[in-house]
Structures are given as C-alpha cells and as structure tokens.
Amino acid sequence: MKEKVENEEKITKATFFYKVARYFWAFLKGLVWLIFPLLILMLVIDLGTSYLVKDRIYTDIQQLPKREYAVVLGTAKYYPSGRQNLYYKYRLEAAYAIYRSQKSDYFLMSGDNQTAYYNEPKTMTNDLRQMGMPSSVIKQDYAGYNTLDSILRADKVFKLKPFTIVSQRFHCERALMIAKFHDIDAICFVATYPEQHYRVRIREFIARTGMVWRFLIGADATTLEDSKIIEPPVK
C-alpha cells in the first residue's frame, strides 16, 4: 500500500513538472514570436534612417556647402570614470575644421544644462575658444537636452535656416531624420567616430526606434523658451 502511494506521488510530481516545462516552453516560443518582429522593425527603422538622409551627409570638408550656422550637438567631455570622451573631442575638432575652412560663420553649441553643475554648451565654448575660435562667432543653447530638442530649438527658437549639424555619422543620421520629418533644412558634417565603441552603436539602434515613436505621438521639444544658463549659486 505504501509503495503504491509513493508511486502515485511520483507520478503526480512528474506530471506537475511536465506541465510547468510545457508552459514555460510555450512562453519562450511566444516571446520569440513577439521579439523577432520587433527586431525586424527596429532593423528596418535603423537602415531606413541611414538611407533616407544619405544625401545630406558630408565627410569631406572641401565638399561641404557653406551655411551660415553650424549646430554642434553636445555630449559630456569626460565619462564618469574620468576618462576623456572621444566623441566630444572629435566633434569639437570637426567644428573647428568648419570654422577654419570658412564653411560656417556662426556656431551654436547645443547641449544639456539642466543642473548648475553640468553645462555642455559652456564647456564646448571654452574649449573651442582655447582652440582659436573667437567668442563672437559662438552662441549657446542651454536647453538642448536631447537630439530632438537641439534640432527643433535650432529651428524654432534660434531661427537657423538652413544649418549644418556636427556629430558622429550615426548620430548625424538620426538628427537629420528628425530635421527631415519636421521639414527643417539641414545637412551634417561627420566627426570622426572613435574605434571599438560598439555599445554606442547599439544604443543608437534603440534610439532610432524611440525617434519614430516620438514622431508617431507628435512629440515636441522639451521647452521652446529662450535659452537661459543655469549657474551654480554664489557662496
């Protein structure tokens, strides 16, 4: 009798684990069927973005058309580890090359200044001045919190028509797609892309899908108020 009860318990346990395994496998298959189309859609968005703006990309400074304004998209000068951000370095070098070649007369530093202790436009301005660019040709947009903000504010707040964008190629393509969607006349001069920075490319892959989502919901810039610097409090 005892042996019979033990056998029934084993059968019950086996049946339970079999059902759990079957449901888990069904869940995994459902997840794959959900994720696979999403990845395909993201890939189409990524490749489509590059294709649709390819005629607005310039890598040769001699071939770059002259435009009165260039918009330099901001990023941090250093990583949290303290290591130099080469994206920042190469964007400033590209902006200075435009200045030296007289391909733009004025430069808008567009970046994040949400707190008094983080100011991308101010840092970019100071470094460009040290490189030899005069203060008289540099302006700042302290509310360029993201790429959408920078492009829309250059058009709606600063009234720059047309203008040249300065950033790395993948970032340029997304910025140009935003400009194209909003009927903004922009081109881009490509800054050098740091070698072996694969994670940034993956992040850009995701950011392009977010860009399309913002198109669909009609997202506007975070703010269209005049640009105001946020300075640290006086002690």
Side-chain angles (χ1 to χ4, degrees), residues 135-146:
S135 301
S136 58
V137 305
I138 305 175
K139 297 181 181 292
Q140 297 85 20
D141 180 9
Y142 300 105
Y145 304 131
N146 55 54

Side-chain angles (χ1 to χ4, degrees), residues 97-120:
I98 293 174
Y99 167 72
R100 287 288 302 271
S101 300
Q102 298 182 342
K103 295 293 185 173
S104 288
D105 298 321
Y106 300 98
F107 295 80
L108 178 66
M109 305 296 114
S110 182
D112 191 349
N113 178 216
Q114 284 187 314
T115 75
Y117 302 99
Y118 184 77
N119 194 328
E120 291 175 353

